[in-house]
Amino acid sequence: MAPDDESISGEEAIIALLRPLAGPEALGFSDDCAALTPRPGMDIVLKTDPVAEGIHFLSSDTPEDIAWKALAVNVSDLAAKGARPIGYLMALSFPQAPRRDWLQRFALGLQVAQTRFGCALLGGDTDRRPGPITISITVLGEVPAGTMVQRAKAKARDLLFVSGSIGDAGLGLRLCRTPELAATWQLAPDHVETLVQRYRRPQPRLALAAALRAHASAAMDLSDGLVKDLGRMLRASGVAGSLDLARVPLSKPASEVVKRDPALLPKLVTAGDDYEILAAVPPDRGAAFAAQALADGVVVTRVGQVESARVDTPLCIRDAIGNDVHVQSDGWDHF
Amino acid sequence: MAPDDESISGEEAIIALLRPLAGPEALGFSDDCAALTPRPGMDIVLKTDPVAEGIHFLSSDTPEDIAWKALAVNVSDLAAKGARPIGYLMALSFPQAPRRDWLQRFALGLQVAQTRFGCALLGGDTDRRPGPITISITVLGEVPAGTMVQRAKAKARDLLFVSGSIGDAGLGLRLCRTPELAATWQLAPDHVETLVQRYRRPQPRLALAAALRAHASAAMDLSDGLVKDLGRMLRASGVAGSLDLARVPLSKPASEVVKRDPALLPKLVTAGDDYEILAAVPPDRGAAFAAQALADGVVVTRVGQVESARVDTPLCIRDAIGNDVHVQSDGWDHF
């Protein structure tokens, strides 16, 4: 048997390691295409979101974490649309042949992630090319026909909710890059770990899908920062809105950090990688939405409200006493 | 207005240029997901096949050619499965922001290609990262439920057919890289052009889809070379087979080249990028398959036959007088 630390030789060897991930639609990878029989009365929800080393994950991340994140960031979009994951296609590219043990751990990490999310690998492709390791996943989900929760349907007077807590992953990324910040921020080791895990292991809010379908006018997942993504939702919907900074839910570790350095609060709402859900909910549905979310295991917090359309400034950010706040960068842009 | 030769600034500017390509399922890119309502009684056929500069296309290729090829290589798989294209998702990555005129021409090339193939853009993603320009397309097609033509279903005694002609793209790639070969091979300018176009503008054999569904036991498209891909079909099907080199259909320009240099013939059957279709057809269906293909505008040629299973040597290649031929490399492998 080949030693684990040797490079994999040949596409077939790579495919063999990934074969256990295949759903029945993939025909055991004996074919170059997959065939999916949609369930009657269901729409297919589609999304592609590649991740690359050095941009979406770090070279020091474990193969298990990389696999998790590559799938989770795509499944997170499905959750925001009220969809249930079905399966995914995955194109892998490596600058040189991966080591067998790396690929084995990557495959096992994917197995854990797809089992958790309830989907399977439908097909894929592997290439060698220069540049960072890249994992390009296209995910498919299903919703009852016509019920996909859209981004562009926020209405005036809708309440704006976010799930979980905001900014943890941004702090986690800073801690990965500059470990000394743990001391600067006087963080306990378990709090450091929590923040780093929030960066490395985003948790798609699939449990929120039913509440979103039942109550939300609009929803999207937060990947590029709350301020930027909320701005996108408002613009796409042709409405304006306000965000109350004081209402933005922070985790215990993030609260500690902000207590030490209040200037970080605006950075938390512009940091990417939250993978929480932003939802616009009609005012008379707000309580029911929050109650159903909680019953399904997800805390949602009201952070703002949709107002009537103002084309010039779609998003107004307010501090605790209602003053307008100017936020410098509104989030991540690849260009 | 911005000058055409400036770099594009911001993801939104890139998305704006691609918006005319969006199908209704993409909701005008106002959302981060697409919703597709499958037609009742149809299966969805799925495939992902990214292309990268320097590997699948050349830096000197025009943006229109690159766009065509990126979509065509994916649609080619659908054709082989007997499927009709519906739509595609596309993740673009650039090492630096693309120039506006490059992206405009790329978008226009895609528009031409998707109109020809009968599909539309459903969604996508853009990233900046080091490495070559990469276009990662995931394509969706449809077939009547249960009728996808599989790769692993070739049966003993099936006749092996290929569409069109083999090896043109391989010669075209050589001519792109080493233009002096045109003189060596004494090729007329129009023949050079034909071979280069076969590399740059693969023509998915969508017209063959109906004949494949009606008659073929198995089919696949040829991307990594006839010998390698036929070997894959035979292995996946658990059968053996033979390829008659003398029967392999060559275009007029390729025949000229082989006349000058007969040693090139084995290289033509191992060259990639044909994007022709390989089909296994039961012997009593062979004539009907060829006739329907021709009626639909595609010439198919019998190049071999499936034999009973021989695990040791699944593929036997024979020359014009029936002697076994040993072919050195059996095609393209990325690792």
Side-chain angles (χ1 to χ4, degrees):
Chain A
M1 232 178 95
D4 282 350
D5 62 350
E6 78 169 6
S7 290
I8 275 240
S9 173
E11 290 171 50
E12 305 288 349
I14 294 177
I15 293 168
L17 276 180
L18 299 174
R19 191 164 281 124
L21 305 175
E25 303 85 353
L27 308 165
F29 298 149
S30 69
D31 211 295
D32 31 15
C33 290
L36 175 74
T37 304
R39 292 202 298 161
M42 304 299 272
D43 282 353
I44 305 286
V45 178
L46 296 152
K47 168 73 182 186
T48 186
D49 201 356
V51 298
E53 184 179 13
I55 297 163
H56 307 87
F57 60 88
L58 303 173
S59 309
S60 55
D61 289 345
T62 67
E64 293 87 349
D65 284 341
I66 295 167
W68 176 279
K69 189 161 191 176
L71 188 54
V73 302
N74 280 281
V75 168
S76 174
D77 276 294
L78 296 183
K81 306 289 104 180
R84 188 186 74 80
I86 301 173
Y88 62 103
L89 294 98
M90 176 173 69
L92 293 173
S93 91
F94 298 100
Q96 62 249 349
R99 283 159 41 121
R100 177 172 294 273
D101 62 341
W102 190 96
L103 200 63
Q104 280 171 330
R105 292 176 57 189
F106 178 80
L108 198 61
L110 262 183
Q111 184 85 66
V112 169
Q114 72 177 36
T115 303
R116 183 82 70 85
F117 306 150
C119 57
L121 184 57
L122 301 179
D125 184 78
T126 61
D127 270 339
R128 177 147 57 166
R129 60 170 172 261
I133 295 176
T134 307
I135 303 139
S136 299
I137 285 181
T138 299
V139 76
L140 287 82
E142 63 173 13
V143 287
T147 68
M148 186 181 94
V149 182
Q150 296 185 29
R151 178 163 77 175
K153 299 280 188 185
K155 303 277 179 295
R157 300 183 54 244
D158 279 355
L159 307 178
L160 294 167
F161 287 89
V162 295
S163 63
S165 56
I166 297 297
D168 298 327
L171 292 173
L173 173 58
R174 282 174 173 236
L175 286 163
C176 288
R177 288 192 165 145
T178 317
E180 309 86 73
L181 283 173
T184 311
W185 292 337
Q186 302 172 43
L187 280 173
D190 60 322
H191 280 183
V192 174
E193 178 65 16
T194 299
L195 294 173
V196 168
Q197 283 300 93
R198 289 275 287 162
Y199 171 70
R200 288 195 178 135
R201 293 268 175 169
Q203 303 292 327
R205 296 294 189 179
L206 288 169
L208 203 57
L212 290 167
R213 283 205 312 277
H215 301 292
S217 311
M220 67 187 296
D221 79 326
L222 297 172
S223 56
D224 293 342
L226 172 58
V227 167
K228 180 163 191 166
D229 286 333
L230 172 53
R232 285 173 167 156
M233 175 186 278
L234 296 172
R235 265 195 309 278
S237 303
V239 293
S242 59
L243 173 68
D244 297 323
L245 271 191
R247 287 179 179 265
V248 172
L250 300 183
S251 68
K252 185 85 173 109
S255 301
E256 299 275 323
V257 172
V258 169
K259 207 186 296 170
R260 311 262 178 261
D261 184 357
L264 278 174
L265 181 58
K267 295 204 191 298
L268 296 191
V269 293
T270 55
D273 282 320
D274 283 320
Y275 299 104
E276 295 290 355
I277 308 264
L278 168 68
V281 179
D284 58 344
R285 299 286 198 102
F289 171 69
Q292 183 174 347
L294 196 59
D296 292 339
V298 183
V299 173
V300 296
T301 305
R302 189 190 149 191
V303 295
Q305 185 153 18
V306 180
E307 293 159 8
S308 53
R310 285 192 315 192
V311 176
D312 51 338
T313 49
L315 177 59
C316 172
I317 305 172
R318 300 208 180 95
D319 68 11
I321 53 170
N323 288 329
D324 281 10
V325 177
H326 179 68
V327 170
Q328 281 225 310
S329 159
D330 74 345
W332 180 253
D333 193 311
H334 286 286
F335 287 94
Chain B
M1 233 178 96
D4 283 351
D5 62 350
E6 75 168 10
S7 291
I8 283 248
S9 172
E11 290 171 51
E12 304 289 349
I14 294 177
I15 293 167
L17 275 181
L18 298 173
R19 191 163 283 126
L21 306 174
E25 303 86 352
L27 308 166
F29 298 149
S30 69
D31 212 295
D32 31 15
C33 290
L36 175 74
T37 304
R39 291 202 299 160
M42 305 299 271
D43 283 351
I44 305 287
V45 178
L46 297 152
K47 169 73 183 184
T48 186
D49 201 356
V51 299
E53 183 178 12
I55 297 164
H56 307 88
F57 62 87
L58 303 173
S59 309
S60 54
D61 289 345
T62 67
E64 293 87 349
D65 284 341
I66 295 167
W68 176 279
K69 190 160 192 178
L71 188 55
V73 302
N74 280 282
V75 167
S76 174
D77 276 293
L78 295 182
K81 305 290 102 181
R84 188 185 75 79
I86 301 173
Y88 62 103
L89 293 98
M90 176 173 67
L92 294 172
S93 91
F94 298 100
Q96 61 249 348
R99 282 160 40 122
R100 175 171 295 273
D101 62 340
W102 190 96
L103 199 64
Q104 279 171 332
R105 291 175 58 189
F106 178 81
L108 199 62
L110 262 183
Q111 185 85 65
V112 169
Q114 72 176 37
T115 303
R116 184 83 69 87
F117 306 149
C119 57
L121 184 57
L122 302 180
D125 183 78
T126 60
D127 271 339
R128 177 146 59 164
R129 60 170 172 258
I133 294 176
T134 307
I135 303 138
S136 299
I137 285 181
T138 299
V139 76
L140 287 82
E142 63 172 13
V143 288
T147 68
M148 186 181 93
V149 182
Q150 295 184 30
R151 177 163 78 177
K153 299 279 189 186
K155 303 275 179 297
R157 299 182 54 245
D158 278 355
L159 307 178
L160 293 168
F161 287 89
V162 294
S163 63
S165 55
I166 298 297
D168 297 327
L171 292 172
L173 174 57
R174 284 174 171 237
L175 286 164
C176 288
R177 287 190 167 147
T178 319
E180 310 85 74
L181 284 172
T184 310
W185 293 336
Q186 300 172 44
L187 280 173
D190 60 323
H191 280 183
V192 173
E193 178 65 16
T194 298
L195 294 173
V196 168
Q197 283 299 93
R198 289 277 284 163
Y199 171 70
R200 288 193 178 138
R201 293 267 175 168
Q203 303 292 328
R205 295 295 190 178
L206 288 169
L208 203 56
L212 290 167
R213 282 204 312 277
H215 300 292
S217 311
M220 68 187 295
D221 78 328
L222 297 172
S223 55
D224 293 342
L226 173 58
V227 167
K228 178 162 194 169
D229 285 333
L230 173 53
R232 286 173 167 157
M233 176 187 277
L234 296 173
R235 264 195 310 278
S237 303
V239 294
S242 61
L243 173 68
D244 297 324
L245 272 191
R247 286 178 179 266
V248 172
L250 300 183
S251 67
K252 186 86 174 107
S255 302
E256 298 276 324
V257 172
V258 169
K259 207 185 298 169
R260 309 264 180 260
D261 183 357
L264 277 175
L265 181 56
K267 295 202 191 296
L268 297 191
V269 293
T270 55
D273 282 320
D274 283 320
Y275 299 104
E276 296 290 355
I277 307 261
L278 167 68
V281 180
D284 58 343
R285 298 285 198 102
F289 171 68
Q292 184 175 348
L294 196 60
D296 292 339
V298 183
V299 173
V300 296
T301 306
R302 190 189 148 189
V303 295
Q305 187 154 18
V306 180
E307 293 159 8
S308 54
R310 286 190 315 189
V311 176
D312 50 339
T313 50
L315 177 59
C316 171
I317 304 172
R318 299 206 181 96
D319 68 11
I321 54 171
N323 289 328
D324 281 8
V325 177
H326 179 67
V327 169
Q328 281 227 309
S329 159
D330 74 346
W332 179 254
D333 193 312
H334 286 284
F335 287 96

